[in-house]
Amino acid sequence: MTKVVLAGAGAFGLKHLDGIKNIDGVEVVSVVGRRLEPTQKVADDYGVPHACTDLAEALAQPGVDAAILCTPTQMHAEQAIQCMDAGKHVQVEIPLADSWSEAEAVMKKQQETGLVCMVGHTRRFNPSHQWVHNKITAGELSIQQMDVQTYFFRRKNMNAKGEPRSWTDHLLWHHAAHTVDLFQYQTGEKVVVANAVQGPIHPELGIAMDMSIQLLSEKGKVLTLSLSFNNDGPLGTFFRYICDNGTYIARYDDLVNGKEEPIDVSKVDVSMNGIELQDREFFAAIKERREPNSSVGKVLPCYKTLYDLEEKLKAQGEL
């Protein structure tokens, strides 16, 4: 039995708890939150025997093997290192960090300890994107362009459950990370050109509410990414794969072709839940003592690209 603690009992933490319920051989032994009362309620709802507000206390519970971090972005790198220093495998939700120096520090710690350190790049695991990836690796598809829209309506600092956040989200280091990594993963190529522009900084949130990113791979594949917190309409991220042999649109775990005809992805993997599949990979990598898909080493190029984009925005006077 693999014993795991979950830090961050918010909207995304609950998705992990729901996914883990379907995975044999895994037991959640502690839940960590900012405030004890709501954290204890989550623990009670999911039958977790321990709840606390201190990650160190959770990691010290008997027999703990691993941790999943769904805490605020600004805590990810430090807590991932804390977990590995305590001898625990760790899965840290996206983004790994909100700076290149912190991302490098996590990579260094993983190399020192040899522990599994995985980042929650869920798009690698969604059956829709797996279907496309399988076609690419089989030589049946080649991407010409990925056209992606990441849209939310978030003019106040609220989470996915409509509750106030204790931290501020970010279009570049958080939401763009999903797509930048997926572009590099699906093409298997380095990014050789990276451009970005963004709109005004929100006076209260202190972040840009609109952003546009362009990437070019070494063999000429293009990414066009539009991000907004101002979109009052369908929310989420929508991926259009424009390929040499068809067009495909992925919406989380669902996939259609360019004519909006559904594609059956139900047999791509053992579940249709990308978060569950992500967690299955984490625990399998621990048991099999191997590097997981979306390990810190495999996703690090994404964070170097985000850093390069941030530096360009600074040079433009937009940060």
Side-chain angles (χ1 to χ4, degrees), residues 5 55 59 66-69 78-90 115:
V5 304
L55 178 58
L59 294 173
I68 297 177
L69 304 178
E78 180 181 354
Q79 288 185 331
I81 291 170
Q82 179 184 354
C83 290
M84 288 185 281
D85 278 338
K88 314 303 181 186
H89 305 287
V90 62
L115 293 162

Side-chain angles (χ1 to χ4, degrees), residues 9 20 25 33-34 65 75 123 126 164 230 269 277 284 304 313:
I20 291 171
R34 187 166 55 94
D65 301 293
M75 303 169 71
R123 300 296 169 260
N126 292 120
N230 279 318
D269 212 321
L277 294 173
K304 179 59 167 65
L313 289 172

Side-chain angles (χ1 to χ4, degrees), residues 9-12 14 42 158-163:
F12 224 78
L14 297 185
V42 170
M158 312 290 280
N159 70 12
K161 295 172 62 180
E163 299 169 341

Side-chain angles (χ1 to χ4, degrees), residues 9 48 69 76 99 109 136 149 155 167 206 224 247 264 271 287 292:
V48 178
L69 304 178
H76 284 182
S99 74
K109 181 59 64 175
I136 292 170
Q149 298 174 328
R155 293 176 180 172
W167 56 286
T224 304
T247 293
D264 182 10
S271 169
K287 291 177 180 178

Side-chain angles (χ1 to χ4, degrees), residues 106-155:
V106 177
M107 181 75 248
K108 181 179 178 182
K109 181 59 64 175
Q110 190 283 322
Q111 291 172 332
E112 288 175 359
T113 62
L115 293 162
V116 171
C117 180
M118 176 173 160
V119 190
H121 284 260
T122 313
R123 300 296 169 260
R124 291 184 177 222
F125 302 94
N126 292 120
S128 53
H129 298 293
Q130 281 201 57
W131 187 94
V132 174
H133 189 74
N134 292 343
K135 293 287 185 181
I136 292 170
T137 55
E140 298 174 22
L141 290 179
S142 179
I143 293 172
Q144 309 301 301
Q145 180 177 188
M146 284 176 59
D147 188 87
V148 184
Q149 298 174 328
T150 294
Y151 290 158
F152 300 94
F153 191 68
R154 190 174 291 166
R155 293 176 180 172

Side-chain angles (χ1 to χ4, degrees), residues 16 24 27 30 34 50 79 94 99 117 136 146 157 169-170 172 183 187 204 217 220 248-249 251 268 281 285 288 303:
H16 281 278
D24 293 334
E27 179 186 2
S30 181
R34 187 166 55 94
H50 181 265
Q79 288 185 331
I94 196 170
S99 74
C117 180
I136 292 170
M146 284 176 59
N157 205 17
D169 208 349
H170 200 289
L172 178 64
F183 178 67
T187 63
E204 296 177 15
S217 77
Y248 304 93
I249 303 165
R251 300 181 179 99
V268 168
E281 172 67 2
E288 297 164 14
Y303 293 92

